[in-house]
Amino acid sequence: MKKLYFLLLIGFTTLGFSQNIVVNPTFADGLNGWSATGTNYALPNLVTNDGQDDSFSVQYIATATTGFDQKFNVVPGAAVTVSFWYKAARTDGALTGNTARIWSVFQADGSTTPINPPGTTGAANDPLRNNNLYLPQAATWTQVTITSEVPAGADTFLLQFRAYNGATVSFDNISFVSPGATLSSNSFNAIEGLSMYPNPVKGNTLFVTSAANDTMSVQIFDVLGKEVLKSNVVNNTVNVADLNAGVYIVKVTQEGKTATRKLVVQ
């Protein structure tokens, strides 16, 4: 039977010269900064009462392969450290079966072909692709830390986490550290100049604006992932009078691009 190995970061040297550049790593700002890049992939649900380091995390109750991600510019030869916390279980209670995994790849700009990190020959021995295996089931928050190196010819890094059919999986406190790395300027689905206010909202009107003049639409989901409102933005406003007090996720779509924001209704 194959065994799953992770490379653990023992010292402080790498962290001393770089910092985590993941946007919204603890999901305190909902799903802001995260995208779902993949056929029929969807963002996970926001959880507001079970976090590894605070009350926020995200969760999939997966019925098909899905995932979420961020993209970064990287420097060939630079060290890479990825860290995340997770919980995973089979929804049917089975002791074995697919759960979730990190599935992160280096690429050349404009290409989707993976470039293998030094010392690896493909997914089967690449810890950034979970050695082509799945995360062990874990009932409590469990940390995974992986070290690698940016290969020659690569200038982008897709940091992605996936969940699989029949699994209930939570993620939190995600970190990506690499000297010289930056958030990709062509990060997936970014809407330029997007602004949503007031937040918290106390009245009936939510304002949503962006740098573009094209039509904007919003979908609003509760913390269980149920859609509670769907509307076009009219004169930069959305009527939220029917929303009860609570925490919601707002998905904004414009010109084929999407972005998400956490909304608090008081």
Side-chain angles (χ1 to χ4, degrees), residues 4 6 41 44 58-62 64-68 84-91 96-104 127-138 144 146 160-172:
L4 182 63
F6 295 106
Y41 282 15
V58 293
Q59 184 183 76
Y60 282 115
I61 303 176
T65 302
T66 188
F68 67 114
F84 63 96
W85 293 75
Y86 81 96
K87 294 193 293 184
R90 291 293 300 172
T91 307
T96 60
N98 302 347
T99 54
R101 57 187 172 190
I102 181 174
W103 195 266
S104 300
L128 288 169
R129 286 177 279 180
N130 231 108
N131 297 323
N132 210 25
L133 300 173
Y134 299 93
L135 292 168
Q137 295 195 53
V144 175
I146 305 163
Q160 187 174 79
F161 300 90
R162 295 180 179 178
Y164 295 85
N165 184 28
T168 298
V169 188
S170 299
F171 293 98
D172 197 9

Side-chain angles (χ1 to χ4, degrees), residues 168-189:
T168 298
V169 188
S170 299
F171 293 98
D172 197 9
N173 211 359
I174 297 170
S175 174
F176 170 66
V177 173
S178 184
T182 59
L183 185 70
S184 177
S185 59
N186 59 348
S187 293
F188 304 114
N189 301 328

Side-chain angles (χ1 to χ4, degrees), residues 173-236:
N173 211 359
I174 297 170
S175 174
F176 170 66
V177 173
S178 184
T182 59
L183 185 70
S184 177
S185 59
N186 59 348
S187 293
F188 304 114
N189 301 328
I191 297 177
E192 183 179 357
L194 180 64
S195 179
M196 187 181 77
Y197 61 92
N199 194 3
V201 59
K202 298 180 181 180
N204 297 332
T205 303
L206 178 69
F207 292 88
V208 184
T209 63
S210 76
N213 294 319
D214 203 7
T215 301
M216 238 186 322
S217 64
V218 300
Q219 294 170 272
I220 300 181
F221 302 87
D222 63 19
V223 295
L224 298 178
K226 179 183 177 182
E227 182 181 280
V228 294
L229 188 152
K230 184 175 183 179
S231 173
N232 285 332
V233 178
V234 179
N235 296 325
N236 297 328

